[in-house]
Amino acid sequence: MEADGGAAPSQGQLAPPAVEAVAPPKVERLNPVVQQQLNLESVKTRALGLYKTISHILEDFEAFARSNTTPKWHATALIIVPYASALAFFKYLLEAIFTGSLLGSQRKKKKSFDVISELLHCRQDALGQFSMVSMDLFNIVEDIKNVSKAFVVYPRNVNAENATILPVMLSSKLLPEMEAEDTTKREQLLLGISGLPVHMQIEKLKTRIDMIGAACEAAEKVISDCRKAYGLGSRQGPTLVPTLDKVQAAKIQEQENLLRAAVNFGEGFRIPIDQRQLPTSLPSHLADVLSFGDGAQNLGDNAGAYGKNTSSFSSNQGVLQTAGGQLIGRSVPSPSNAVSFDNASTPPMAYANSPRSGTNIMNTPSPQQQVQQQQQQRQKILQLPHQQQLLVQQQLRQSSAAGVLGQGVMSQLHDLTGQTQQKLQQITNMSASMQSQSLLPRIQFGLTGGHTQRNHPSQMLNDQMFGMGPSNPANMIAMQQQQQGGFGNISTHTQNLQSGMVNLPNTTQNPNFPQQRQQNQS
Amino acid sequence: MECVVQGIIETQHVEALQILLQGLCGVPKDRVRVHEFCLKSGPNLGVVPSEVRLLCDLAQPTPTWTVRHAGGAMRGAGAEQLSVLVRSVVESKVSNNALRFFYAVGYKLDHELLKIGFAFRFQRVVPITVTVTSANRMPRLHAIDDAVPLTPGIQLVEITAPAAGDNYNEVAAAVSSFCEYLVPLLHLSKPGVSTGIVPTAAAAASSLLSNSGGKAI
């Protein structure tokens, strides 16, 4: 048997580089690199295991068939015969792979899979095994498809007889030997009637098929009768649906909620403040990580300033003190609407004409700064490439905050094609609020450098802009690039979008905010 | 980005689930023993708090540390149609002074937990990881040896697969189709959506456990 090292791949697709690295053409076994790359060991192991399982099942079947020689089971006997050939094929396949010989066609694999799926409709108590077996088989078929891409068909003998048809056969990975096998099987099948005229052959085959069909139906009937006799129900649905009693179900539901909240949000794991002292003996992986002194300072209070867990919000607004009297974990009383920033509610009450000083942004968090940061973000949206601007503008049109926009903007948006994307709604509403205010702070934004926005606006951007979907990475890169020095562009963009809004008085903004918020939350 | 679904299973059926997963994945299971620190940023780091998780893998001979940040989930009509949750994730291996570093930067320990169980990592169109763990809480700070399960009767099953912005639909489809194989034993859903247990799980589990003779793989 020739190894595949010297043959050029007939498919012309990907030939793994390891194949070309197989140097000597007459080697008996495959290069171990190739073996490893194609994961042949695992395929072999699985195929062998599957082979054992299938033979085991076949033995069961045959034992049963022998003990029950009633006609009902003839159908299964008929099915077992090709099954045995599927097993034989498997064995052939395995040997072929490992001695470097060639893989056969895909048809037989499909046939064996069909056979197995037929078997699934037989004996009921073997169903559990078969689901595993068929799954294994399916997986192996998939893997072998991948493996077989690395192998090529190399004909054993080329002579005048098959030279002309060889290329076609090679392209379909068909061997002359397997072709010969096929024809012998066909002859076997048509034994006795191949001499007859064709239409009679067809009729005889049809009667044979009908006989098998009748046998299968009889088997079905027997199975369903047995099901009814033993009270097992129909095949499709679950046999008996055991219902949990209410108490048990409620308990499980409660446990489930506890577990889900714990894993996703940390409920139930927080240690009360008074118990948060470093133990004297730390586990080994923490021993050199935490020294005794500095661990206690870093314990935030439960639920802390950020109020995600409303249940413990009020109870843990305390000051944690160690023995040394240090203040730990101050809880910052934050406005309640700072909680769900990730969930994109509308900005809190903003005072459009209140002064904003660039230097105070990081030191004193206040609602104004939240709005300011949002404004800066919205302006970055304006700096996005035009396509994304269109998207944002579509959202403006479709958002319910039309009152804020004014007529001028609406007229510009009417001719934009629409794609409803609720992902951008929150940005939309913030854009609306921003646009109406951006006339004012144009000058002031020049003072605030990009560096102050490094931390959480990118977080907010990541969280809130996430909804833009597949086009995300490009957006974020664009926004980040423009974050640094793009403030000079603000004026042009605002003029583009707000030519109709110059007359919009700023004092009308405040009444609209509650309106927006309600619209958002409804 | 990653696609993630979660489900719960009763502890008595975990062994059957393991057998099923072994048959489906074809790889040996990995032990999971992770000490997870959930850190929340202090007010000096911004108005919006951020959460970062430090995972210390104790199953290895030498503990390895990973830092992980999970972002908000994808929202919108498209996301609602998916049966999996898609969210942005940043993960990296770090050295063991990451905890000190985060404390120094201003993060505070919000809570910690210990996850004990097993995981299967395999390839099915995309690399998929199935983790079955029990969440254990520690009665005192960092007291791993005294950890007890928070919900002794129920364990968490989590299936994740990495995704990118342009292929998350295929990844979601791959994860969903894999989840269909687990239907006899558990229901899976987006994190935060309650599912309940499968009533017929006991029957499926017993059939999985009883056929050990035929599974010489």
Side-chain angles (χ1 to χ4, degrees), chain A residues 20 29 54 59 67 86 136 157 160 165 171-172 190 220 255 293-294 297 347 353 383 400 413 438 488 502 507:
Chain A
E20 291 151 9
R29 313 218 122 245
I54 293 177
E59 282 162 21
S67 63
D136 287 338
N157 53 343
I165 56 170
S171 69
S172 68
L190 296 176
E220 268 294 328
Q255 295 264 295
D294 63 1
Q297 293 177 11
N353 51 358
Q383 295 166 24
S400 49
L413 297 176
S438 62
V502 179
T507 51

Side-chain angles (χ1 to χ4, degrees), chain A residues 53 135-136 242 252-253 256 260 262 264 266 268-270 276 279 283 285 289 298 300 306 370 423 456 459 463 466 470, chain B residues 6 23-24 35 41-43 49-50 72 75 88 96 100 103 108-110 137 141 144 150 165 181 194-196 199 214:
Chain A
T53 320
M135 207 110 64
D136 287 338
I252 290 181
Q253 177 74 20
E256 177 192 352
R260 283 182 185 268
N264 292 324
F269 288 122
R270 297 195 173 90
R276 286 200 185 199
H285 62 287
V289 173
N298 297 306
Y306 306 110
Q370 293 160 0
K423 302 168 196 169
H456 45 277
Q459 282 175 15
D463 290 340
F466 194 95
Chain B
Q6 282 178 350
L24 289 173
H35 187 179
S41 66
S50 79
R75 283 183 288 270
S88 60
N96 64 353
R100 293 184 96 156
Y103 282 161
K108 310 244 188 294
L109 180 70
D110 185 59
R137 69 179 298 268
L141 200 61
I144 291 191
L150 185 72
Y181 290 123
S194 178
T195 57

Side-chain angles (χ1 to χ4, degrees), chain B residues 89-195:
Chain B
V89 152
V90 178
E91 214 173 49
S92 166
K93 292 235 179 283
V94 286
S95 57
N96 64 353
N97 59 357
L99 193 59
R100 293 184 96 156
F101 169 75
F102 277 104
Y103 282 161
V105 168
Y107 278 80
K108 310 244 188 294
L109 180 70
D110 185 59
H111 63 271
E112 57 175 352
L113 65 146
L114 186 68
K115 283 188 165 171
I116 300 181
F118 57 88
F120 287 87
R121 295 180 179 94
F122 58 99
Q123 185 89 10
R124 171 90 44 118
V125 179
V126 292
I128 297 182
T129 305
V130 182
T131 319
V132 180
T133 51
S134 83
N136 298 33
R137 69 179 298 268
M138 286 159 261
R140 290 175 316 281
L141 200 61
H142 303 326
I144 291 191
D145 301 322
D146 301 332
V148 290
L150 185 72
T151 54
I154 297 209
Q155 296 198 3
L156 185 80
V157 179
E158 197 172 60
I159 302 185
T160 61
D166 51 356
N167 74 345
Y168 65 88
N169 271 314
E170 285 87 26
V171 176
V175 171
S176 304
S177 69
F178 177 74
C179 292
E180 286 169 19
Y181 290 123
L182 304 178
V183 154
L185 282 176
L186 71 158
H187 294 309
L188 290 155
S189 64
K190 301 188 188 184
V193 175
S194 178
T195 57

